[in-house]
Amino acid sequence: VQAVRTFPRRAIRSKELATILDISEAALSSQRRRRTGPPVVLREGCRPFYHRDEVVTWLLAQIDRNAR
């Protein structure tokens, strides 16, 4: 929940998202490959980035799923 409050209002690069979520870039990359992490967008040069609103939705779903 604290991470949601600190999100920038723009697209988020992998390094920045990993810092916000307090995980390593390697862990985020692994989640991306397994398709278990937040929805990712690849733009030119195959550099991944994440839309803030999609990440927030994903985070809230994770919190809800873990609360059950």
Side-chain angles (χ1 to χ4, degrees), residues 50-63:
Y50 302 83
H51 286 292
R52 177 192 185 276
D53 293 341
E54 291 179 9
V55 173
V56 169
T57 300
W58 176 83
L59 271 175
L60 294 174
Q62 298 306 304
I63 292 169

Side-chain angles (χ1 to χ4, degrees), residues 23-40 50 58 62 65:
I23 62 174
S24 69
E25 285 185 75
L28 188 59
S29 176
S30 177
Q31 288 179 356
R32 189 169 52 249
R33 282 192 308 277
R34 291 180 291 147
R35 298 177 188 235
T36 58
V40 65
Y50 302 83
W58 176 83
Q62 298 306 304
R65 188 177 73 164

Side-chain angles (χ1 to χ4, degrees):
V1 175
Q2 179 60 32
V4 172
R5 292 188 190 116
T6 62
F7 265 29
R9 294 197 178 272
R10 55 183 167 79
I12 305 164
R13 289 245 182 239
S14 293
K15 183 175 184 174
E16 186 177 15
L17 182 59
T19 300
I20 290 169
L21 297 177
D22 196 27
I23 62 174
S24 69
E25 285 185 75
L28 188 59
S29 176
S30 177
Q31 288 179 356
R32 189 169 52 249
R33 282 192 308 277
R34 291 180 291 147
R35 298 177 188 235
T36 58
V40 65
V41 176
L42 295 177
R43 72 177 176 192
E44 60 189 66
C46 295
R47 294 177 189 244
F49 71 95
Y50 302 83
H51 286 292
R52 177 192 185 276
D53 293 341
E54 291 179 9
V55 173
V56 169
T57 300
W58 176 83
L59 271 175
L60 294 174
Q62 298 306 304
I63 292 169
D64 184 49
R65 188 177 73 164
N66 290 335
R68 293 182 195 172

